[in-house]
Amino acid sequence: MSVRNQSSEQSAESVHRAGFACFVGRPNAGKSTLTNALVGKKVAITSNRPQTTRHTVRGIVHRPEAQLILVDTPGLHKPRTLLGERLNDVVRATWAEVDVIGFCLPANEKLGPGDRFIAKELAGIKRTPKVAVVTKTDLVDSKALAEQLIAIDQLGKELGFEWAEIVPVSAVGGQQVELLADLLAPMLPESPPLYPEGDLTDEPEQVMVAELIREAALEGVRDELPHSIAVVVEEMLPREDRPAEKPLLDIHANIYIERPSQKGIIIGPKGKRLKDVGIKSRKQIEALLGTPVFLDLHVKVAKDWQRDPKQLRKLGF
């Protein structure tokens, strides 16, 4: 069993590698937080609600010897809606195209049926190296961590495959994140960089802005509206007649929910919640884009959009 727990030697070879890695795991296994930690900047939305990632966010990790492009997929789960089925299709299509798969398993939760369901699917993918990434190690002691590492090693054996590596990390504590990148890099094909130095994601800015608004909107309505919120940025335009040294970006966005009764939850008493969503997401958007922003938010109803193919298309799924 190859468990890495100390810094690995830099490889002597001077070839440059570049390729795609994706993190899979059941919802809320720490995939987005890990993506952000590796990239060093917020590119994937994180929330302690399962199923918050809906788009394939690519984070780009630049290293002298390699460029690692991280594809962040939604959590694979047993689907209950058309949206759920589409999300699972996205996951499987992604697995077929990447150079290495990282399976995120939280250190603080025993392996469950959801993990086995994913591991079984992974066992069917023969050629791609599979790395078990044990996340959230800051939440357990060394004894519990050791037990989890052994259980994960066993899981691979039961299903007839061997992990290329088993790596414990804490994205929040920054522990072993660099080591993980060191271990993933040699698994990539030899290639010049695929993206220019300095690029951190290939997501269109509008998609990232919509995700930041959705993240802020999800906060505080955790249990009431976990999956009922979608955000579409209608336009992003620089304000005309502004001096060059004082730019302002106008962003108009709609927050969609499924039923009229949910409108009040998002808007809050006297509009307070919506105002908070605006303040919070505007700060994040300004940090992302590096420019002052005027954010105009509206809440609209798209009836049962998660089950309606036409609405799903309109909302970008």
Side-chain angles (χ1 to χ4, degrees), residues 67-85:
Q67 188 180 70
L68 179 64
I69 299 135
L70 299 170
V71 185
D72 188 26
T73 58
L76 193 76
H77 62 300
K78 289 205 160 64
R80 288 190 303 276
T81 62
L82 183 60
L83 173 66
E85 282 170 32

Side-chain angles (χ1 to χ4, degrees), residues 135-269:
T135 56
K136 309 186 186 187
T137 57
D138 51 304
L139 300 179
V140 297
D141 59 21
S142 53
K143 180 174 177 287
L145 178 58
E147 284 168 6
Q148 186 73 325
L149 294 173
I150 291 165
I152 290 166
D153 184 51
Q154 275 305 113
L155 178 64
K157 288 198 172 89
E158 274 168 40
L159 295 169
F161 69 89
E162 190 163 338
W163 302 106
E165 301 280 356
I166 300 177
V167 195
V169 301
S170 165
V172 172
Q175 284 148 337
Q176 305 233 120
V177 173
E178 283 297 304
L179 172 66
L180 177 62
D182 288 345
L183 295 173
L184 293 174
M187 299 179 196
L188 305 175
E190 289 186 24
S191 159
L194 302 171
Y195 287 90
E197 182 69 48
D199 277 16
L200 296 177
T201 176
D202 72 351
E203 272 288 30
E205 283 178 344
Q206 264 176 256
V207 174
M208 294 180 73
V209 166
E211 289 288 83
L212 288 171
I213 295 168
R214 196 164 72 90
E215 179 178 28
L218 272 171
E219 226 162 85
V221 294
R222 305 215 180 297
D223 305 319
E224 298 158 285
L225 309 176
H227 315 314
S228 303
I229 298 173
V231 175
V232 176
V233 173
E234 298 296 339
E235 59 177 17
M236 279 171 50
L237 295 168
R239 176 86 54 98
E240 286 176 11
D241 310 327
R242 295 282 292 196
E245 71 281 1
K246 280 197 171 169
L248 183 68
L249 188 67
D250 284 319
I251 298 178
H252 300 278
N254 291 327
I255 298 174
Y256 288 96
I257 41 131
E258 295 193 289
R259 291 187 290 287
S261 60
Q262 296 169 337
K263 217 168 174 175
I265 300 173
I266 289 285
I267 294 171

Side-chain angles (χ1 to χ4, degrees), residues 19-25 30-32 34-35 38 55-59 68-74 76 90-104 118 122 125 128-133 163 180 184 187-188:
F20 294 83
C22 79
F23 292 133
V24 301
K31 301 180 293 292
S32 298
L34 188 56
T35 297
L38 279 161
H55 291 278
T56 304
V57 177
R58 290 182 171 82
L68 179 64
I69 299 135
L70 299 170
V71 185
D72 188 26
T73 58
L76 193 76
V90 168
V91 177
R92 292 194 185 95
T94 305
W95 292 2
E97 291 162 6
V98 296
D99 301 298
V100 55
I101 297 171
F103 183 13
C104 293
I118 295 170
L122 288 180
I125 300 169
T128 315
K130 295 168 269 293
V131 173
V133 185
W163 302 106
L180 177 62
L184 293 174
M187 299 179 196
L188 305 175

Side-chain angles (χ1 to χ4, degrees), residues 275-288:
K275 194 174 168 196
D276 289 347
V277 170
I279 291 167
K280 191 157 187 199
S281 53
R282 197 187 76 232
K283 269 201 188 115
Q284 300 263 20
I285 293 164
E286 289 180 339
L288 175 76

